[in-house]
Amino acid sequence: MAPQNKEQLDQKKHERKAQIMRAAIKVFAENGIKLTKISMIAKEAKVSHGLVYHYFTSKDEILYASLDWAVEEHKSAKLFQELNDHEVSPLEQIKQFTLFAFTESDTEISNGVFRIIQNLSSTNDLPEHLVQFVEKAGQFYIESLYPLFVEGQNSGEIIKGDAEELLGIYLTVLSGIMADDPAFWKDNTEQKVGILTRMISER
């Protein structure tokens, strides 16, 4: 077998690092920040504990790098764009986003990012770079969902009131569920999401 050139080696390193970060997103989302250990990430990535340290110096570095990578590679904006393209109603778009937030998927990690961000939002004493990241990500969800709440109110689908306050309540409930027991939502997810979204539905 011919030795690999520098470009091939760099590509292999890039793929291995992405493999670790993909695993990290899944493990952080499932176990929370505090309970996640580097050994758990290594096991999920199917690599040695030492190899993880070859790419990252700490759990915090893995967390930030993985979130940064995931947001760039798998933007939640894709979901909203797809729903827009299908011209579904505002309430249905909110339902689909809620399903997206609760659904596990090996090929789509944006939902894992959402769950981690919700976890971080309720965590004190975060490093400044993570505080800024969470604020930026949170603003994205507000900017994406707020117009749907307003449009839904105008069409009579969503209950009247201060749309910003209503969105805040919705995201607070969603965050609370994420922090408490997201595993509960894996069974009969669509039915449970339907019950959840009735709190904002006019009908």
Side-chain angles (χ1 to χ4, degrees):
M1 179 183 293
Q4 295 180 319
N5 59 36
K6 184 179 184 301
E7 184 177 342
Q8 290 172 321
L9 287 171
D10 287 344
Q11 178 64 23
K12 187 174 181 179
K13 287 179 181 178
H14 176 78
E15 291 172 356
R16 185 58 56 86
K17 188 173 183 179
Q19 178 183 342
I20 294 169
M21 291 189 292
R22 179 181 293 275
I25 291 295
K26 183 175 182 181
V27 175
F28 279 123
E30 290 179 349
N31 299 281
I33 311 304
K34 290 184 179 179
L35 294 180
T36 292
K37 297 181 177 7
I38 288 181
S39 58
M40 296 162 65
I41 296 171
K43 183 177 180 181
E44 178 64 32
K46 297 181 174 57
V47 300
S48 70
H49 194 279
L51 186 62
V52 175
Y53 277 110
H54 176 74
Y55 292 98
F56 304 98
T57 60
S58 66
K59 186 173 83 169
D60 283 349
E61 185 184 349
I62 298 174
L63 173 62
Y64 182 73
S66 299
L67 283 172
D68 196 43
W69 168 80
V71 167
E72 285 301 314
E73 293 291 318
H74 303 274
K75 290 183 182 296
S76 296
K78 292 178 184 177
L79 172 71
F80 290 107
Q81 185 60 53
E82 287 171 6
L83 291 173
N84 246 345
D85 292 344
H86 286 90
E87 298 183 348
V88 296
S89 72
L91 184 61
E92 184 59 30
Q93 289 191 53
I94 294 167
K95 283 183 179 179
Q96 291 301 317
F97 170 75
T98 310
L99 274 170
F100 170 81
F102 286 126
T103 305
E104 292 286 350
S105 173
D106 290 331
T107 58
E108 179 55 73
I109 62 174
S110 293
N111 58 331
V113 174
F114 178 80
R115 290 167 63 183
I116 294 168
I117 288 171
Q118 300 316 299
N119 184 290
L120 287 171
S121 297
S122 59
T123 301
N124 297 320
D125 302 322
L126 286 176
E128 183 59 29
H129 62 277
L130 280 180
V131 170
Q132 292 176 3
F133 183 93
V134 170
E135 288 176 352
K136 182 179 177 181
Q139 190 62 32
F140 163 77
Y141 291 115
I142 290 170
E143 290 174 358
S144 299
L145 290 166
Y146 179 75
L148 297 179
F149 276 74
V150 173
E151 187 181 344
Q153 287 179 325
N154 291 337
S155 66
E157 274 195 314
I158 293 176
I159 57 176
K160 299 297 182 182
D162 187 321
E164 187 175 347
E165 183 177 57
L166 192 60
L167 173 57
I169 292 170
Y170 163 81
L171 288 174
T172 298
V173 171
L174 207 57
S175 300
I177 293 168
M178 297 288 192
D180 182 40
D181 186 15
F184 167 77
W185 292 79
K186 292 180 184 178
D187 296 323
N188 302 318
T189 308
E190 289 195 29
Q191 180 183 358
K192 290 171 182 173
V193 167
I195 294 170
L196 176 62
T197 52
R198 278 180 208 163
M199 77 175 196
I200 61 170
S201 175
E202 188 67 62
R203 300 165 186 169

